[in-house]
C-alpha cells in the first residue's frame, strides 16, 4: 500500500464510523424547507449531497478543506523558487484533510508519474476519430477507452466486499489522474500540431510535465500558469454539473473511468466548462466585428447589448451559487499582474469586467452579474500562444479530475448509497399548489 493510501485509510475509517452514527442517531433532524421555485430552477440551494473536498460560499467563493485560494497559494508546497502551488498538494489536502509536507507532494508526483503509462489501444481509438472531432469529445472517448484498465470493475466482477470498494477505486483514481495529462496532450498535438507528439518527462511535476507534453515547456511562464490553472479549477463543492455527475454515476458503482467520462460530457456544456472556450470565441468575434484588437469600453458595452438582444448569454459571467467576483478570476488577474503578462486580449478581458456587471445588473433578472473562472482563463492561454480555444475545456477537465475523483474515493470509503431523488410531473405540481391554496 502506498503512503498516501495508508494515510487515507487512517483518516477515512473513523469518519465512516462517525457518519453511520450520525445517521443512526440524528437521521430525523430536519435540514430545511424548499419551495416550488427551487424545484423548478435546477434544485438550487437544496442541500442533498455530501462533499468532503471543498465548500462554496456565495460571497466569499471556494474553500478547499477550509482554505481560500489566496491561502492555498501561500501555504501549499511549491517547486524550488516557485510562487504557484503544486496541484499535487491540493489533491493531498482534499483527500486527507490537512496540508501536505514537501515530501508528501513529491511522493504524489512520483506516484502519478509511475502510473502515467497509457495503453496503446487508447491512442488507436483516438486516431480513428476525424481530426475535427471536438477535443472534449475526443477526451471522453479516450477516458471510456481507458476503462479496460479499471481495477475496481475487474475486482467487482470477481466479487469483493463493500469494505474493499474504496481501495480499488483509489487505485483507479490514481492511475487515471496519472494518465490524463498524457491523453490530453496527445489530443492537442494530434488535433493542432500535425501529430508531432512529445514524450513525457517523469522528472517534472505533474503540471509541468503536462505543459511540456503540450509543447509549451520552454515557453517562459507557462509551467507556472499550468500549476495555478490545475489548482484553481480542481473543485467547486459537489453540486456543479461535473462533480455531481461523477458522484451520481459513481453511486451506481460505475468505476472512476465511467463516472469521470460522464462528468466530462457535462463539463463540455457551454453553461459549465465550455464557457472558457466561449469567452475567447466571443472576444475574438467582438474584436473582428469592431475592427480593433482593443475596443473601448463604449464599444464593448454596445457589443454586450447586441449579444443580449440576440437572446444569448454573456459567457464567463454569472454563477449558480456565487454572488461576487469569483476568486478564481481574481487569482488569474493577479497572476497576470504579478508576472507582467499583458496584451490587448487580456486588457480587453479587464475592460469587459468594468462594463458587463452593470449591464447584467440592469436586466434585473441575473442573480450574479460578476465574472466566473472562465472569464479570464482563455486570455492567459492566448497570451502564451495557445490560441486553439476549442481545447481549453480539456485543460479544465484534467484539473477537475483532482477534486471529483478525490471525492469519489471518499464516497466509497463512507459507503454513500445509490442516488435516487424523487421526481414528479407538472400535473402533480399543479395539484399540490391547488391543495396548498385550499388547506
Ligand atoms: N448573460 C446573460 N444572461 C444571463 C447570464 C449571462 N452571463 N447569467 C444569467 N443570465 C440570465 C439567465 O439566462 C436567466 O435568464 P431567463 O430567466 O431568461 O432564463 C436569468 O439570468 C437568471 O439566471 P440566474 O439564476 O442568474 O443564473 P443560473 O443559476 O440559472 O445560471 C449560469 C448560472 C452560470 C448558467 C449563467 O449565469 C450563465 O449562463 N452564464 C454564462 C455561461 C457561463 O459563464 N458559464 C460558466 C459558469 C462557471 C462554470 O461552471 O465553469
Amino acid at each position: 500500500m502506498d503512503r498516501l493510501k495508508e494515510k487515507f485509510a487512517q483518516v477515512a475509517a473513523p469518519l465512516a464510523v462517525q457518519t453511520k452514527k450520525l445517521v443512526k442517531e440524528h437521521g430525523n433532524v430536519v435540514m430545511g424547507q424548499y419551495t416550488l421555485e427551487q424545484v423548478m430552477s435546477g434544485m438550487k440551494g437544496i442541500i442533498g449531497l455530501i462533499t468532503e473536498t471543498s465548500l462554496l460560499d456565495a460571497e466569499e467563493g471556494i474553500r478547499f478543506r477550509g482554505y481560500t485560494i489566496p491561502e492555498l497559494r501561500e501555504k501549499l508546497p511549491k517547486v524550488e523558487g516557485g510562487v504557484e502551488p503544486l496541484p499535487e498538494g491540493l489533491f493531498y489536502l482534499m483527500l486527507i484533510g490537512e496540508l501536505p509536507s514537501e515530501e508528501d507532494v513529491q511522493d504524489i508526483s512520483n506516484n502519478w508519474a509511475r502510473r502515467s503509462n497509457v495503453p496503446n489501444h487508447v491512442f488507436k481509438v483516438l486516431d480513428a476519430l476525424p481530426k475535427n472531432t471536438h477535443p472534449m469529445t475526443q477526451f471522453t472517448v479516450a477516458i471510456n477507452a481507458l476503462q479496460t484498465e479499471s481495477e475496481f470493475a475487474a475486482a467487482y466482477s470477481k466479487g469483493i466486499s463493500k469494505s474493499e470498494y474504496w481501495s480499488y477505486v483509489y487505485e483507479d483514481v490514481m492511475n487515471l489522474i496519472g494518465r490524463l495529462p498524457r491523453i490530453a496532450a496527445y489530443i492537442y498535438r494530434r488535433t493542432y500540431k500535425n501529430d508531432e507528439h512529445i514524450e513525457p518527462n517523469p522528472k517534472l511535476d505533474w503540471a509541468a510535465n503536462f505543459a511540456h507534453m503540450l509543447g509549451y515547456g520552454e515557453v517562459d511562464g507557462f509551467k507556472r500558469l499550468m500549476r495555478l490553472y490545475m489548482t484553481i479549477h480542481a473543485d467547486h463543492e459537489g453540486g456543479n454539473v461535473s462533480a455531481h455527475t461523477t458522484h451520481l454515476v459513481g453511486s451506481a458503482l460505475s468505476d472512476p473511468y465511467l463516472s469521470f467520462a460522464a462528468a466530462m460530457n457535462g463539463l463540455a456544456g457551454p453553461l459549465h466548462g465550455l464557457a472558457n472556450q466561449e469567452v475567447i470565441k466571443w472576444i475574438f468575434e467582438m474584436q473582428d466585428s469592431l475592427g480593433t484588437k482593443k475596443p473601448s469600453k463604449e464599444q464593448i458595452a454596445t457589443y454586450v447589448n447586441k449579444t443580449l438582444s440576440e437572446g444569448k448569454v454573456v459567457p464567463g459571467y454569472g454563477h449558480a451559487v456565487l454572488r461576487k467576483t469569483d476568486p478564481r478570476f481574481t487569482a488569474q488577474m493577479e497572476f497576470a499582474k504579478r508576472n507582467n503578462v499583458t496584451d490587448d486580449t487580456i486588457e480587453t478581458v479587464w475592460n469587459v469586467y468594468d462594463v458587463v456587471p452593470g449591464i447584467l445588473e440592469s436586466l434585473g433578472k441575473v442573480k450574479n452579474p460578476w465574472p466566473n473562472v472562465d472569464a479570464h482563463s482563455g486570455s492567459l492561454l492566448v497570451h502564451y500562444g495557445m490560441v486553439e480555444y476549442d481545447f481549453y475545456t480539456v485543460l479544465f477537465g484534467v484539473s477537475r479530475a483532482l477534486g471529483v475523483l478525490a471525492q469519489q474515493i471518499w464516497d466509497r470509503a463512507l459507503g454513500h448509497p445509490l442516488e435516487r431523488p424523487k421526481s414528479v410531473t407538472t400535473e402533480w405540481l399543479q395539484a399540490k399548489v391547488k391543495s396548498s391554496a385550499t388547506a
Side-chain angles (χ1 to χ4, degrees), residues 1-7 111 115 170-171 174:
M1 201 185 276
D2 64 47
R3 259 166 50 113
L4 183 66
K5 193 171 184 181
E6 231 168 83
K7 181 96 200 197
N111 199 331
R115 296 168 183 263
Y170 173 91
E171 296 301 329
M174 295 294 277

Side-chain angles (χ1 to χ4, degrees), residues 155-381:
Y156 192 88
S157 104
K158 278 195 195 132
I160 44 170
S161 152
K162 284 180 181 176
S163 63
E164 295 173 275
Y165 289 171
W166 76 264
S167 170
Y168 291 97
V169 165
Y170 173 91
E171 296 301 329
D172 279 357
V173 165
M174 295 294 277
N175 288 336
L176 180 52
I177 294 174
R179 288 159 164 161
L180 283 175
R182 178 87 164 107
I183 290 172
Y186 190 89
I187 293 168
Y188 182 70
R189 304 289 305 176
R190 85 173 282 264
T191 309
Y192 308 109
K193 302 289 171 187
N194 214 18
D195 265 315
E196 288 159 13
H197 297 290
I198 300 170
E199 286 300 307
N201 177 353
K203 292 202 180 100
L204 293 171
D205 56 271
W206 184 73
N209 188 33
F210 188 21
H212 158 76
M213 288 187 288
L214 286 165
Y216 292 81
E218 302 308 315
V219 178
D220 188 35
F222 194 82
K223 285 183 188 149
R224 211 176 305 144
L225 175 67
M226 274 303 101
R227 291 181 188 119
L228 176 68
Y229 192 113
M230 291 295 130
T231 299
I232 63 176
H233 287 81
D235 209 32
H236 221 220
E237 73 170 34
N240 65 78
V241 171
S242 50
H244 189 186
T245 305
T246 311
H247 174 77
L248 170 68
V249 177
S251 85
L253 295 187
S254 303
D255 61 62
Y257 295 90
L258 297 176
S259 319
F260 187 63
M264 291 300 97
N265 280 313
L267 194 76
L271 296 189
H272 190 19
L274 202 81
N276 63 4
Q277 86 164 41
E278 295 298 292
V279 167
I280 285 301
K281 187 165 166 260
W282 180 81
I283 287 179
F284 284 175
E285 282 168 3
M286 171 167 66
Q287 290 170 335
D288 276 356
S289 124
L290 297 171
T292 169
K293 292 277 173 215
K294 219 172 145 186
S296 67
K297 290 185 188 174
E298 290 70 30
Q299 286 176 307
I300 292 171
T302 308
Y303 197 79
V304 169
N305 284 320
K306 177 176 169 287
T307 302
L308 293 170
S309 71
E310 288 165 355
K312 299 174 187 166
V313 295
V314 180
Y317 282 77
H319 199 272
V321 180
L322 281 170
R323 295 295 175 256
K324 286 271 166 67
T325 294
D326 190 336
R328 300 172 299 175
F329 176 92
T330 313
Q332 295 177 85
M333 202 170 178
E334 275 170 19
F335 177 94
K337 288 182 177 161
R338 188 192 281 180
N339 292 285
N340 288 324
V341 168
T342 183
D343 61 30
D344 288 348
T345 307
I346 290 173
E347 278 175 39
T348 299
V349 163
W350 295 352
N351 286 334
V352 168
Y353 181 30
D354 284 341
V355 169
V356 167
I359 298 178
L360 289 183
E361 216 153 26
S362 73
L363 298 178
K365 65 171 184 177
V366 182
K367 296 197 186 70
N368 176 39
W370 301 104
N372 58 58
V373 64
D374 302 314
H376 209 305
S377 54
S379 64
L380 291 172
L381 296 166

Side-chain angles (χ1 to χ4, degrees), residues 115-149:
R115 296 168 183 263
S116 64
N117 187 41
V118 176
N120 212 27
H121 76 267
V122 175
F123 299 127
K124 281 194 189 152
V125 168
L126 282 172
D127 289 339
L129 294 171
K131 285 252 168 103
N132 63 358
T133 307
H134 192 280
M136 277 306 278
T137 308
Q138 297 190 47
F139 194 47
T140 57
V141 166
I143 297 162
N144 271 312
L146 198 55
Q147 193 268 346
T148 49
E149 310 309 294

